[in-house]
Amino acid sequence: LGLAAAADSAMDCRQFRLARDGPTFGWRVEKMLGVDAADDAKDGGEVMDTKAQVPAAPAAPELCSLDLRVLAGHRLMNRDSGFFGDVSDPYAIARLGSTEHRTHVVNNDLNPCWSEDNEFNFTTGVDSGTKLRLEVFNSNTYRRDQSLGFVEVDVSIILVDGIWRRLKRPLEGGGGGELEFEIRGQAAPAPPTAAAQPRVPFVEVAAISDSASASAATSVS
């Protein structure tokens, strides 16, 4: 009965208590009527808090703006004929998640340098567990481009301090070739918020009509 009264009441459910009922140690629900927890303890009652403790949702990974400069390849494999200086025509592809960037092709060079159109940007979560993949390919005209090896960098180890760091890493499956690049992590800018729309003053149409009629009547008279 006490529980039904508690359910029907519009008051906060924490204003009710659970108390022992007589020598049989049954339980009953009583309205606290302002009795605090210290006073309630005198007869063995306990404050009821029926509000569930909902665990906080995990925080989203902090966003990081990742800048990359692909600089050079060293001692790359030759996947072309080798006749009359015909060696690999390398280019590099940088991929992070679904975002992909590509350098231009350097013809017939096993030690290519990229100094133009070689800087790229990615946005990712610092603790997202993703990896930046850099892969070098040999460009072909009449057949599929061939891989000259790849490098993977774990995004979580990149310091988000805005400082460029130069790395030279061996290319996996690259026959001893290496890739040189620079990388920088910095906090991504917050997404822009929608600008507040200016409020348009409300003018009653009837008032405008009445004012216009009064003006017209004054002009006629």
Side-chain angles (χ1 to χ4, degrees):
L1 180 59
L3 186 59
D8 293 337
S9 174
M11 301 176 65
D12 193 318
C13 62
R14 286 178 294 180
Q15 295 180 6
F16 296 86
R17 67 179 179 176
L18 189 65
R20 295 188 179 93
D21 191 6
T24 60
F25 293 101
W27 293 94
R28 70 177 185 275
V29 177
E30 292 183 348
K31 196 170 181 180
M32 290 177 62
L33 297 176
V35 179
D36 58 24
D39 293 336
D40 184 55
K42 65 185 179 182
D43 64 351
E46 297 179 4
V47 177
M48 294 180 63
D49 188 353
T50 58
K51 291 188 176 180
Q53 298 296 322
V54 180
E62 179 185 353
L63 288 181
C64 167
S65 177
L66 187 63
D67 298 316
L68 170 71
R69 291 177 185 150
V70 181
L71 300 177
H74 303 280
R75 300 180 302 279
L76 301 180
M77 289 190 300
N78 179 29
R79 302 298 296 268
D80 285 345
S81 67
F83 298 123
F84 305 106
D86 179 28
V87 295
S88 294
D89 309 308
Y91 66 91
I93 290 180
R95 184 183 298 110
L96 181 60
S98 61
T99 305
E100 181 176 293
H101 298 289
R102 172 175 170 165
T103 69
H104 62 274
V105 175
V106 179
N107 291 319
N108 298 317
D109 198 335
L110 300 181
N111 296 280
C113 292
W114 292 280
S115 57
E116 296 179 354
D117 302 325
N118 64 327
E119 186 168 335
F120 312 115
N121 176 264
F122 304 89
T123 300
T124 184
V126 175
D127 299 322
S128 62
T130 56
K131 292 185 178 182
L132 171 66
R133 183 182 177 97
L134 308 173
E135 189 165 7
V136 183
F137 289 89
N138 173 41
S139 177
N140 293 307
T141 304
Y142 301 109
R143 55 178 175 166
R144 185 176 180 179
D145 294 353
Q146 302 149 306
S147 176
L148 302 179
F150 68 91
V151 173
E152 287 188 339
V153 180
D154 191 339
V155 172
S156 63
I157 69 171
I158 299 174
L159 298 179
V160 185
D161 57 5
I163 299 176
W164 285 101
R165 289 176 172 82
R166 179 171 294 198
L167 303 172
K168 183 189 288 187
R169 295 286 181 84
L171 291 164
E172 293 189 35
E178 295 177 317
L179 184 65
E180 186 174 356
F181 56 95
E182 290 181 333
I183 198 165
R184 174 179 68 178
Q186 52 189 341
T193 56
Q197 297 296 323
R199 296 186 62 183
V200 178
F202 173 77
V203 179
E204 190 174 355
V205 176
I208 295 178
S209 301
D210 294 343
S211 299
S213 299
S215 300
T218 304
S219 301
V220 171
S221 62

